[in-house]
Every structure is written in structure tokens, then in C-alpha cells.
């Protein structure tokens, strides 16, 4: 059975009705060396102990390996900027204020597929949200949804970098594919200057355009250490800036983020729950984290990260 040809305008309209803030379509061809800099990042050891990043290179570069017969990658964004920020001695990165984004975005992607089938009954796609080995940021950039900023995150002109990314990888071709947009960071280095551990001082050169490609050194990143680092103690030189899970330092100063609209209402009740976690026992922490991105760490890491603040 032939896969239906998708109307770009119909796909984007359906994405909006599902609740996504932006949608773009890119042809499912392999990422080019000018786009894909994972090999250099790993060669520098900037992935620290995240050895899983060394795996599935072919899937990360070519969606046709991930999903045989793929013709189109449909990228979607969902903004998460909160209406206000939590306070207290154990702050949490803003993306983790609400429900675990893996669960929320995956649920919306399945709804997206179901809604598209009302227009294309034979439509088939594989939904991805930060779990399958696909280069989310690069596909969103190729689909014209933003550019890779100096903080190494996708920056959307409206949402800034406060956005979750998801994809539908489908065997259906599209009538029109979006084009990448230009990098609009200009001479701004606010994110680089704001990082307390200088994790954003490294870069690569795009040999085709001679432009600078930012590289994050995870070994110096507070977000990496509070989440991915499983050691009993953290390097004493790492500054967490009040964060016990993740870090927002490079995002808070971005002009695009400061101008971005709020997309998540942090209620009094939720704010109080987040701030009370500083004193949570293992059972309370586990219960709260079950449907939160906090499920990425154990209670022992949560305590370790808070202890780091005292050193």
C-alpha cells in the first residue's frame, strides 16, 4: 500500500489543534557533516560518562535507518516556559516543573497520528521524543523551527529554547518541505558568560559555511552532574548555583527566552510541592518523581546535589 502524500499546510493545522506550538517538515535524508558534530564532541570527551551517546551513530544521522522507508520527519515544538519560577534551596530546572515531558509529548504525538488519519487513513509514523536515537535539535533546525544557539540548544524565534521537541518519522512524502532559518544569535554571548562552570567555551568550525558550531563540555555542566553523574560525590569545583536538578543559567539570560510567552502555569499548589522536595524522604521523593522528569535520578543523588550546595 502506497503511503499518502501529505499536505504541509494540513499537517501544521492538525499539529496546532493537538496543541503543539510549532510544526515543520523536513525530507528524511541523512544529516550532513556540516550539520552533525557528534563525532567531534565525543572525540573531545565532552560526553563525559554518557557512553550511550557513542552508540547508534547510523540511526542518529539517518532516519531511514531508524524507520525503514522514511520519507519525512515532522518536527513539533511544545513550549514550557513557566508563569513564574520556584524558590528555595533545591531548585529544579524549569522543564521539570510539570509532568514528565516524555509522557506528555508522546501522548500528544499519538493523538497527532490519530488526527492525521482522519485526513490520511493509511498514514503511518514512528513517534519519537528524546528516547529514540534521533538528533531532535538538528531535525527541528532542518525543519525551519529554529537554530542551534551558543547554548547548544534549539532556539525558536518565539519560544526561545524553552521548548520540548518531538518527531513523527513517516514513510509518507510531503508536498512541501520547510527550509532552515538563519542563526539569529548575532554577537550575543550572554549564555556563555552566564555559565558558572564555563561549559560553553568550546566550539567547532563548520567547514562549509566557516561559521562557529557550539560544543557543550558535559564534564563542566551542572545539568550533567546533577542528573547523569551517578558518583557518590560531585567534583568540588562544580558550582550548582542553587540547583539540585538540572540548570537554567544559560537559558535565563537568553534574550529570546526573556521575551518568550509563558506556556505552563505554575500554580501555588505545584510550586509548594516543588519547594517542599528539599526536605522530602525517599518515599515522598519517589512518589512525586514517578510522573516527573525527576524520575531520572535517585533520592541519594537528590541529597548529594543539595549537599554540594553547602561546600
Amino acid at each position: 500500500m502506497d503511503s499518502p502524500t501529505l499536505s504541509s499546510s494540513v499537517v501544521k493545522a492538525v499539529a496546532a489543534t493537538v496543541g503543539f506550538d510549532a510544526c515543520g517538515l523536513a525530507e528524511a535524508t541523512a544529516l550532513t557533516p556540516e550539520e552533525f558534530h557528534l563525532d567531534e564532541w565525543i572525540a573531545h570527551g565532552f560526553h563525559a560518562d554518557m557512553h550511550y551517546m557513542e552508540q547508534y551513530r547510523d540511526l542518529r544521522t539517518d532516519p531511514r535507518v531508524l524507520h525503514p522507508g522514511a520519507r519525512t520527519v515532522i518536527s513539533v515544538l511544545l513550549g514550557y516556559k513557566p508563569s513564574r519560577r520556584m524558590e528555595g534551596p533545591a531548585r529544579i530546572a524549569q522543564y521539570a516543573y510539570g509532568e514528565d515531558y516524555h509522557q506528555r509529548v508522546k501522548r500528544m504525538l499519538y493523538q497527532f497520528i490519530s488526527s492525521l488519519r482522519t485526513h490520511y487513513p493509511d498514514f503511518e509514523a514512528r513517534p519519537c521524543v528524546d528516547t529514540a536515537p534521533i538528533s531532535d535539535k538538528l531535525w527541528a533546525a532542518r525543519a525551519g523551527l529554529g537554530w542551534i544557539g551558543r547554548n547548544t540548544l534549539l532556539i525558536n524565534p518565539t519560544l526561545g529554547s524553552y521548548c520540548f521537541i518531538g518527531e513523527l518519522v513517516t514513510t509518507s512524502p510531503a508536498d512541501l518541505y520547510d527550509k532552515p532559518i538563519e542563526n539569529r544569535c548575532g554577537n550575543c554571548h550572554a549564555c556563555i558568560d552566564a555559565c558558572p562552570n564555563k561549559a560553553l567555551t568550546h566550539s567547532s568550525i563548520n567547514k562549509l559555511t566557516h561559521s562557529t558550531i557550539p560544543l557543550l563540555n558535559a564534564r563542566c555542566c551542572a545539568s550533567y552532574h546533577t542528573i547523569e553523574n551517578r558518583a557518590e560525590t560531585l567534583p568540588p569545583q562544580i558550582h550548582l548555583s542553587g540547583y539540585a536538578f538540572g540548570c537554567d543559567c544559560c537559558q535565563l539570560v537568553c534574550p529570546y527566552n526573556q521575551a518568550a510567552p509563558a506556556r505552563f502555569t505554575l500554580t501555588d499548589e505545584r510550586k509548594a510541592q516543588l519547594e517542599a522536595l528539599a526536605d522530602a524522604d525517599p518515599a515522598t521523593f519517589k512518589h512525586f518523581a514517578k510522573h516527573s522528569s525527576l524520575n531520572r535520578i535517585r533520592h541519594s543523588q537528590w541529597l548529594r546535589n543539595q549537599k554540594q550546595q553547602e561546600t
Side-chain angles (χ1 to χ4, degrees):
M1 185 178 297
D2 293 335
S3 298
T5 298
L6 307 174
S7 163
S8 174
S9 59
V10 168
V11 171
K12 293 178 181 180
V14 172
T17 62
V18 171
F20 289 112
D21 290 304
C23 176
L25 291 78
E27 188 174 4
T29 56
L31 294 170
T32 67
E34 289 72 38
E35 295 172 292
F36 191 76
H37 291 262
L38 182 67
D39 294 336
E40 183 174 359
W41 184 64
I42 290 175
H44 283 297
F46 290 167
H47 60 317
D49 288 331
M50 296 183 287
H51 299 298
Y52 59 84
M53 294 300 300
E54 302 171 20
Q55 304 173 350
Y56 307 115
R57 184 190 184 281
D58 54 343
L59 278 70
R60 297 182 192 280
T61 55
D62 195 337
R64 296 169 297 186
V65 179
L66 177 68
H67 189 59
R71 299 284 300 278
T72 303
V73 178
I74 304 171
S75 291
V76 290
L77 303 182
L78 182 66
Y80 68 78
K81 182 178 179 178
S83 55
R84 54 180 172 168
R85 298 199 297 273
M86 65 171 290
E87 302 169 1
R91 281 181 283 159
I92 296 167
Q94 295 170 85
Y95 77 85
Y97 281 8
E99 178 188 6
D100 182 356
Y101 71 92
H102 299 93
Q103 299 175 15
R104 183 184 179 194
V105 176
K106 181 65 74 69
R107 187 170 61 245
M108 292 177 68
L109 287 173
Y110 278 116
Q111 184 182 348
F112 193 14
I113 292 173
S114 178
S115 297
L116 283 171
R117 284 178 179 159
T118 64
H119 299 272
Y120 308 102
D122 299 324
F123 178 75
E124 296 290 342
R126 174 171 177 171
C128 305
V129 51
D130 198 29
T131 50
I134 185 170
S135 303
D136 305 87
K137 294 181 292 185
L138 301 184
W139 282 104
R142 183 181 275 198
L145 297 181
W147 64 93
I148 307 301
R150 290 193 174 95
N151 58 5
T152 74
L153 300 174
L154 179 86
I155 299 180
N156 175 268
T158 301
L159 303 170
S161 59
Y162 290 139
C163 50
F164 302 128
I165 307 173
E167 299 87 24
L168 293 183
V169 183
T170 176
T171 55
S172 291
D175 65 347
L176 182 67
Y177 292 111
D178 294 288
K179 296 180 179 180
I181 61 177
E182 74 283 357
N183 187 306
R184 302 179 188 177
C185 287
N187 294 321
C188 179
H189 291 77
C191 57
I192 294 175
D193 297 337
C195 178
N197 300 296
K198 306 303 178 186
L200 296 168
T201 58
H202 302 276
S203 62
S204 175
I205 299 296
N206 185 321
K207 296 179 181 179
L208 183 65
T209 64
H210 303 290
S211 58
T212 300
I213 305 297
L215 296 175
L216 168 71
N217 184 356
R219 296 174 301 192
C220 301
C221 178
S223 186
Y224 161 78
H225 283 290
T226 56
I227 300 173
E228 300 290 343
N229 189 338
R230 306 293 177 173
E232 291 186 8
T233 59
L234 298 181
Q237 70 273 19
I238 296 297
H239 301 286
L240 300 186
S241 304
Y243 287 92
F245 182 90
C247 181
D248 286 322
C249 288
C250 69
Q251 297 199 87
L252 291 172
V253 297
C254 176
Y256 288 96
N257 286 339
Q258 293 175 355
R263 284 290 188 264
F264 173 74
T265 300
L266 183 60
T267 64
D268 290 342
E269 179 183 9
R270 185 69 174 184
K271 184 172 182 288
Q273 290 174 339
L274 292 171
E275 293 170 356
L277 286 174
D279 301 316
D281 59 32
T284 301
F285 182 84
K286 183 177 181 180
H287 177 76
F288 182 89
K290 184 176 181 180
H291 296 293
S292 162
S293 292
L294 286 168
N295 62 22
R296 191 74 180 84
I297 66 171
R298 299 185 294 267
H299 184 255
S300 58
Q301 289 175 266
W302 176 250
L303 295 180
R304 176 204 64 184
N305 297 343
Q306 292 189 67
K307 185 176 181 180
Q308 181 81 359
Q309 311 285 2
E310 302 169 3
T311 61

